[in-house]
């Protein structure tokens, strides 16, 4: 058996930035750092930060007044931000800049009273945060998840203008199909030039598709609540190659890989590289021979962290 590694895989610029914000905040403030929601959707990242004293909460009301709060990479609604301000919390915003970009677009539509359609997964924190930028009693924002939802959509009859935006981690192919059906039903709808799906999501999905052409099985390393990891597993499966989503090497069952000659590995944007290394080591222990990277789009994107948190990082 040989191992083929998807490239790019694993941490994206938004995740690296979020983790650096929390790590530097720990060093600078030397106080408990509270994080609203899991900073990123990976249980190993969360475990490591917990060990360093970080406290994760789901509600702002669970944080003592005047404490330090970090907003997770998925972003928060205006309401949540207001609650944090009211409690006089010091806010460190680890929302990915590419999520913030969508927030600003939705906010603009809200201010202009433009009825808006948001494509995303119900209940996901990014979706709650982004929809929560639409703060207008006269306008409306509709959440849709599928083509069937487009069929069911009813828009105000006198709505001359209509916008759409999307979650950053959706499936490229399926989202294109939803947008096409939106455009068929509402020819006057307008949205971003490209969907709001980010560069990292796009590159990781393309890398899995490339991998699927040369392997007999794919491992996607990523937690079950990670939308972008779930999409990678779905896309792998859609190519017809048996795909297993795993948290770590411990989830691997030897009988899965009995007759496998080429095994592909990728990791979601929130999955640390040490989990990939562990899987490789485990597979080598049970007989894997060569390991090779399958190169896709090179990534050079890097996001700065807020200036007051930078002096520690070189
Ligand atoms: C924010 C936006 O959104 P997803 O569930 O994929 O988040 P995860 O934490 O797994 O990945 C990082 C991230 C954060 C992706 N997009
Ligand atoms: Fe930002 Fe994209 Fe990474 Fe999400 S997957 S944190 S939008 S770079």
């Amino acid at each position: 058996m040989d191992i083929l590694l998807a490239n790019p895989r694993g941490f994206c610029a938004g995740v690296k930035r979020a983790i650096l914000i929390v790590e530097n905040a720990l060093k600078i403030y030397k106080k408990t750092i509270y994080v609203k929601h899991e900073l990123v959707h990976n249980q190993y990242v969360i475990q490591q930060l917990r060990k360093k004293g970080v406290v994760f909460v789901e509600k702002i009301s669970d944080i003592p007044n005047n404490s330090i709060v970090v907003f997770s990479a998925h972003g928060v609604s205006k309401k949540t931000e207001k609650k944090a301000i009211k409690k006089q919390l010091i806010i460190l915003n680890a929302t990915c800049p590419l999520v913030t970009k969508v927030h600003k677009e939705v906010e603009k539509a809200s201010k202009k009273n433009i009825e808006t359609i948001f494509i995303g997964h119900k209940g996901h924190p990014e979706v709650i945060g982004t929809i929560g930028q639409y703060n207008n009693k006269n306008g409306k924002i509709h959440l849709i998840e599928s083509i069937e939802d487009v069929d069911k959509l009813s828009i105000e009859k006198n709505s001359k203008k209509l916008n759409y935006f999307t979650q950053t981690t959706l499936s490229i192919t399926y989202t294109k199909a939803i947008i096409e059906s939106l455009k068929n039903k509402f020819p006057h709808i307008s949205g971003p030039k490209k969907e709001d799906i980010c560069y990292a999501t796009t590159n990781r999905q393309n890398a899995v598709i490339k991998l699927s052409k040369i392997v007999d099985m794919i491992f996607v390393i990523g937690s079950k609540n990670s939308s972008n990891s779930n999409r990678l597993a779905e896309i792998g499966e859609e190519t017809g190659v048996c795909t297993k989503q795993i948290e770590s090497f411990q989830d691997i069952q030897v009988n899965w890989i009995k007759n496998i000659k080429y095994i592909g590995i990728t990791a979601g944007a929130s999955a640390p590289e040490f989990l990939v290394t562990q899987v490789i080591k485990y597979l080598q222990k049970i007989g894997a021979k060569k390991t090779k990277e399958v190169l896709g789009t090179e990534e050079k994107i890097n996001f700065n962290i807020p200036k007051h948190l930078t002096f520690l990082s070189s």
Side-chain angles (χ1 to χ4, degrees):
M1 179 171 66
D2 288 340
I3 301 169
L4 293 151
L5 300 172
N7 189 322
R9 64 173 177 277
F11 279 5
C12 60
V15 167
K16 287 183 195 161
R17 175 179 181 270
I19 294 174
L20 193 58
I21 287 176
V22 173
E23 284 182 338
N24 282 8
L26 282 166
K27 291 176 196 156
I28 291 169
Y29 291 99
K30 297 187 173 66
K31 278 174 61 172
T32 304
I33 303 292
Y34 292 86
V35 179
K36 164 81 172 73
H37 190 66
E38 291 186 355
L39 182 68
V40 299
H41 290 148
N42 186 273
Q43 60 174 70
Y44 293 91
V45 173
I46 301 307
Q47 246 174 46
Q48 283 176 338
L49 292 174
R50 249 194 210 121
K51 274 190 204 147
K52 293 181 184 175
V54 175
V55 175
F56 294 91
V57 297
E58 283 306 319
K59 290 190 288 194
I60 295 291
S61 58
D62 292 337
I63 306 175
N65 289 356
N66 306 305
S67 310
I68 301 159
V69 65
V70 177
F71 293 153
S72 83
H74 318 95
V76 300
S77 65
K78 281 193 179 300
K79 242 193 206 156
T80 296
E81 192 177 1
K82 274 191 194 136
K83 280 185 195 160
I85 293 169
K86 206 169 165 199
K87 265 186 154 280
Q88 299 190 309
L89 303 180
I90 297 172
I91 299 172
L92 305 177
N93 195 348
T95 308
C96 174
L98 299 180
V99 173
T100 304
K101 187 175 147 241
V102 187
H103 281 190
K104 289 194 175 135
E105 294 295 332
V106 171
E107 187 186 12
K108 208 156 84 187
S110 164
K111 281 191 175 141
K112 288 185 177 170
N113 255 335
I114 301 174
E115 198 158 353
T116 297
I117 293 163
F118 190 71
I119 310 169
H121 296 291
K122 199 173 172 191
H124 188 282
E126 180 184 330
V127 174
I128 295 168
T130 306
I131 286 186
Q133 304 301 312
Y134 199 96
N135 185 16
N136 181 337
K137 286 192 190 88
N138 301 315
K140 238 187 189 167
I141 186 157
H142 309 259
L143 172 62
I144 61 165
E145 302 189 81
S146 63
I147 293 178
E148 293 73 55
D149 287 348
V150 176
D151 301 336
K152 286 186 238 155
L153 252 180
S154 106
I155 296 296
E156 307 281 319
K157 284 198 184 65
N158 56 358
S159 157
K160 288 194 188 76
K161 270 197 168 175
L162 190 59
N163 277 178
Y164 75 84
F165 303 102
T166 80
Q167 193 177 344
T168 57
T169 53
L170 302 179
S171 148
I172 301 274
T173 321
Y174 191 52
T175 308
K176 279 204 172 105
I178 297 179
I179 292 171
E180 208 178 289
S181 108
L182 272 177
K183 285 182 173 165
N184 280 337
K185 184 161 177 178
F186 310 109
H188 66 301
I189 197 167
S190 58
K193 273 201 195 83
K194 242 181 102 251
E195 342 65 43
D196 298 303
I197 298 172
C198 80
Y199 83 94
T201 301
T202 309
N203 293 345
R204 280 153 192 68
Q205 289 182 10
N206 287 337
V208 165
I209 293 168
K210 191 166 178 184
L211 197 63
S212 71
K213 300 196 167 119
I214 44 178
V215 299
D216 322 304
M217 179 161 190
I218 298 172
F219 283 150
V220 175
I221 304 172
S223 291
K224 298 285 180 279
N225 59 343
S226 166
S227 164
N228 77 88
S229 306
N230 293 343
R231 299 297 78 76
L232 292 179
E234 239 169 54
I235 289 163
E237 205 56 57
E238 278 164 19
T239 65
V241 176
C242 175
T243 304
K244 302 278 186 194
Q245 186 172 344
I246 54 173
E247 292 276 0
S248 78
F249 78 96
Q250 285 162 323
D251 291 346
I252 299 173
Q253 293 176 24
V254 183
N255 65 317
W256 289 347
I257 42 185
K258 243 187 209 154
N259 298 313
I260 302 292
K261 179 117 191 45
Y262 296 104
I263 183 136
I265 304 175
T266 189
S270 47
E273 184 64 14
F274 82 83
L275 295 174
V276 177
T277 311
Q278 284 179 346
V279 171
I280 296 171
K281 282 196 179 138
Y282 175 80
L283 293 175
Q284 284 169 340
K285 220 166 69 189
I286 57 171
K289 298 270 177 312
K290 282 184 254 164
T291 301
K292 208 179 113 189
E293 299 257 351
V294 179
L295 296 182
T297 310
E298 193 187 347
E299 293 183 343
K300 291 182 179 160
I301 294 183
N302 206 356
F303 295 134
N304 291 332
I305 62 171
K307 272 218 178 75
H308 67 285
L309 295 175
T310 54
F311 73 92
L312 284 166
S313 49
S314 51

